[in-house]
Amino acid sequence: MSRLLNPSAADLLMYELERQAGHPDANSTTGVVVHLRGAVPDLAGLRDHVTARLAGLPCLTHVLAGDGPQARWTPAAPDMTRQIRAQQVDSGPEALETAVRLLLRAPWPEGVPTWRMILLHGHEPDGFALLYLTHHAIQDAANIGAVFETLFGQRSGQGQGQFSVLSRDVPSDARPPLRQTLSSAVTLLRHARKHHLWQWPDHPLSDRRDLTWIQVPSASLRTAARVGGVSTNDVHLAALAHAITQWAKSAWPRAAGRALPVLVPVNLRTADEVAAPGNRLFLAPIDLPGGSMSVSRRLAHTRAVTPALKSAGHKTVLRAALTRLPWWLLRRIMAASTVPDRLTVCASHLVGRRHLHYGEAAVHRIDPIIICPPGVPMAVATMTYGDTTSVCFRVDRALPDADSLPLLWRQALTDLADTTP
């Protein structure tokens, strides 16, 4: 059974950001679109399947009650009739994406946990999709991964330690040494400056968002990572920095020739809370290389700024900040980091390593859905599953010509592949 901690200031912040949103596009609803090949399943059978596995998923059976330091996780029974539904869509991938965008704006039903699963079918002749949506205050991306691996992964012989989403190098209750704490504090403060990069009077940011996905072969990221001696997350970040820099030359000149501040979610979820509600992540700021350079050179420079994201010692400090700091202090730190002149691009990267299926229908692709709260110009998430990596762009409509960003990201990855022996 996953250990439940009291809700943190990070959890409640997701509700605060949503209350600030002037449009549902900027809400705190996150999730995935899971694509399966096979016959459309029976809805009643799907409800029974999820119900039989609820005992191992406290994130699906709790709600956030109260506010501030008095907030607590409270048990609440899901209503499978309301929370697991089916919807037929028109033929074609565009019809599926349109349905997803509309469902993202739907309000949450009262009195039940804030998640829903919609069986979408009709967009292709031999397949269907499971749209899973939840509130980011209740579940983060790693938690969503644990939900799907519990519901649709192989059950025999699989323990908690085999989940794809665990942070294996962070002990649950480790107290970081003083030297590491000071080092991490310096790293965080160095990047906590007010940069004003996305405050341009000619194009004030809005609460409207465009949501787009593109897909690339997973092998292209893995090959670039292996040859460059980096992680696939480094490849994603370098491609993103390259895309934004290329776009900014004409569309947002103030971001074209300088380092690009980016917030990267660092997963801090451990084995004893794999399916517990709440956020177990820390938004770590880094500065990606800006200016004009080749994408291969940009990848080399990216490698130099990401070691802290992978450091077990640094993660231990971030974990302690999330779970040990007094509630009021963590709240004050987060309030300072979410003012408009500090907010910037968010970039997430996930890898699913367990084979997923429902009956005879096998999962062949997972499209992530990332939130883009008020004040954030764009949020980009990659999800690698099997042979396909799907990239989600959720971008403020106020950014001029922003529809070119996904193609520029893909072109940057292609250019990396062209320079790979």
Side-chain angles (χ1 to χ4, degrees):
M1 183 67 176
S2 291
R3 180 179 64 151
L4 271 66
L5 301 177
N6 289 335
S8 72
D11 301 329
L12 273 68
L13 177 64
M14 296 298 174
Y15 280 116
E16 291 184 31
L17 292 174
E18 188 170 72
R19 285 192 287 266
Q20 298 169 13
H23 192 277
D25 282 355
N27 63 22
S28 295
T29 300
T30 184
V32 288
V33 187
V34 179
H35 300 262
L36 298 94
R37 289 194 179 97
V40 178
D42 174 65
L43 182 59
L46 179 61
R47 287 169 175 161
D48 291 341
H49 179 86
V50 175
T51 300
R53 289 158 176 78
L54 284 178
L57 295 169
C59 58
L60 301 188
T61 58
H62 285 75
V63 296
L64 191 56
D67 201 4
Q70 288 73 42
R72 294 292 182 271
W73 299 116
T74 304
D79 183 339
M80 293 303 176
T81 303
R82 285 194 291 169
Q83 294 183 249
I84 301 182
R85 300 183 289 107
Q87 179 174 320
Q88 184 167 356
V89 299
D90 293 334
S91 177
E94 295 83 4
L96 177 66
E97 292 184 6
T98 298
V100 170
R101 293 186 185 101
L102 291 174
L103 289 164
L104 269 171
R105 298 175 180 173
W108 295 105
E110 295 183 0
V112 295
T114 48
W115 63 269
R116 56 169 65 100
M117 184 182 292
I118 301 97
L119 169 62
L120 298 170
H121 59 95
H123 55 284
E124 58 181 344
D126 184 29
F128 59 96
L130 294 175
L131 170 62
Y132 179 79
L133 300 176
T134 185
H135 199 287
H136 211 311
I138 312 298
Q139 296 178 48
D140 56 25
N143 192 259
I144 293 171
V147 167
F148 265 80
E149 291 185 352
T150 299
L151 293 179
F152 304 109
Q154 297 288 343
R155 303 197 74 189
S156 58
Q158 299 285 357
Q160 286 186 338
Q162 299 200 3
F163 282 96
S164 302
V165 295
L166 298 182
S167 183
R168 295 175 175 82
D169 49 0
V170 180
S172 297
D173 299 306
R175 186 181 296 275
L178 179 60
R179 174 175 287 187
Q180 179 63 61
T181 300
L182 293 175
S183 174
S184 294
V186 170
T187 299
L188 294 173
L189 290 172
R190 185 187 305 131
H191 298 286
R193 70 193 186 281
K194 295 182 179 181
H195 50 75
H196 306 280
L197 185 64
W198 301 103
Q199 293 178 298
W200 187 8
D202 292 347
H203 296 283
L205 298 182
S206 74
D207 287 336
R208 298 301 306 274
R209 304 285 183 262
D210 284 325
L211 179 63
T212 308
W213 293 272
I214 60 169
Q215 286 78 40
V216 296
S218 300
S220 57
L221 280 87
R222 293 171 180 146
T223 300
R226 183 174 63 254
V227 172
V230 299
S231 68
T232 52
N233 188 38
D234 291 341
V235 174
H236 162 50
L237 292 173
L240 180 60
H242 201 71
I244 292 175
T245 303
Q246 298 300 306
W247 161 81
K249 288 179 181 178
S250 58
W252 204 274
R254 60 200 296 125
R258 53 189 289 191
L260 180 67
V262 173
L263 295 172
V264 180
V266 177
N267 176 26
L268 304 171
R269 190 171 293 271
T270 56
D272 60 347
E273 54 193 27
V274 63
N279 287 262
R280 302 292 191 275
L281 59 82
F282 195 101
L283 285 176
I286 60 171
D287 286 341
L288 293 177
S292 296
M293 64 181 75
S294 68
V295 67
S296 57
R297 184 181 174 202
R298 201 179 304 276
L299 178 60
H301 283 278
T302 299
R303 177 185 180 180
V305 300
T306 58
L309 302 178
K310 311 162 191 173
S311 163
H314 189 57
K315 288 182 182 180
T316 302
V317 174
L318 299 182
R319 168 81 189 190
L322 193 67
T323 59
R324 289 177 174 271
L325 282 182
W327 196 94
W328 63 269
L329 180 56
L330 183 60
R331 178 68 189 88
R332 183 169 295 181
I333 292 172
M334 292 189 167
S337 65
T338 55
V339 293
D341 43 17
R342 285 194 176 98
L343 284 173
T344 188
V345 176
C346 293
S348 175
H349 177 65
L350 292 169
V351 179
R353 296 182 175 87
R354 288 178 62 180
H355 174 70
L356 304 179
H357 66 96
Y358 178 54
E360 298 299 319
V363 173
H364 64 91
R365 191 178 96 213
I366 301 177
D367 295 333
I369 300 173
I370 191 170
I371 69 170
C372 190
V376 175
M378 72 182 80
V380 184
T382 64
M383 178 68 208
T384 294
Y385 177 82
D387 295 334
T388 302
T389 293
S390 183
V391 192
C392 173
F393 286 80
R394 209 163 183 179
V395 183
D396 191 332
R397 289 188 181 179
L399 302 186
D401 301 322
D403 57 346
S404 65
L405 284 164
L407 297 179
L408 288 169
W409 184 95
R410 183 160 59 189
Q411 184 60 51
L413 187 63
T414 300
D415 292 345
L416 270 177
D418 289 344
T419 61
T420 298

